[in-house]
Amino acid sequence: MKKKKDWGSIFIVVSILVGIFYYMQYTEDVQKEEYVQSGIPIGQDYIRKYYNAEFIYQNNDFIGSYVNSTVYLRGYIKGHEGQIISINYDYKKKEVLYVTGPEWFIDSREPKKDVSVP
């Protein structure tokens, strides 16, 4: 009888731990999605302002989110669907760090250098 009670207790504890793990994973995913959704319009405005183009968002990637607060927003410029543009967005500061993509696109930046004062 005691063995059944022990196994029952172990089962309950393991079930609770698994539930906590899935809840933590779910909340992390929700928070990441909020970061992405806040970054898309900021990235699109940045591309409009400095490149006079329309950025179409496709997907994102968090690399080392435990180390830094950067999300990589990937997409393309309207009319150039086959060429990937990546906006590196700092979700804590809510600003674009830099943009990567084909040379023709990067060279089209106006002004050529960021002249903003920190």
Side-chain angles (χ1 to χ4, degrees):
M1 181 75 172
K2 184 167 169 52
K3 284 194 174 206
K4 281 187 176 183
K5 189 175 184 182
D6 289 343
W7 281 109
S9 297
I10 291 171
F11 177 75
I12 290 172
V13 169
V14 169
S15 296
I16 290 171
L17 291 174
V18 168
I20 289 170
F21 171 77
Y22 279 110
Y23 177 75
M24 289 172 57
Q25 190 67 32
Y26 170 76
T27 56
E28 182 180 336
D29 291 345
V30 168
Q31 189 163 25
K32 283 183 176 181
E33 185 61 27
E34 288 173 1
Y35 295 149
V36 168
Q37 293 305 317
S38 72
I40 292 171
I42 293 170
Q44 289 172 329
D45 289 345
Y46 185 90
I47 296 293
R48 246 183 251 114
K49 179 178 179 181
Y50 291 106
Y51 296 94
N52 195 26
E54 185 177 343
F55 177 77
I56 309 298
Y57 168 78
Q58 288 183 308
N59 58 43
N60 66 75
D61 195 13
F62 286 83
I63 299 177
S65 59
Y66 52 88
V67 175
N68 65 39
S69 56
T70 303
V71 60
Y72 302 90
L73 305 172
R74 286 195 218 100
Y76 60 89
I77 299 303
K78 189 174 183 180
H80 299 276
E81 287 77 7
Q83 299 180 340
I84 300 298
I85 304 296
S86 180
I87 299 173
N88 301 322
Y89 171 70
D90 185 321
Y91 55 82
K92 286 185 180 175
K93 295 179 182 176
K94 296 193 181 287
E95 69 181 13
V96 172
L97 301 174
Y98 58 92
V99 176
T100 59
E103 190 174 334
W104 65 265
F105 176 72
I106 299 303
D107 289 345
S108 71
R109 189 181 195 288
E110 289 297 332
K112 297 296 182 195
K113 293 186 178 181
D114 191 4
V115 292
S116 62
V117 177

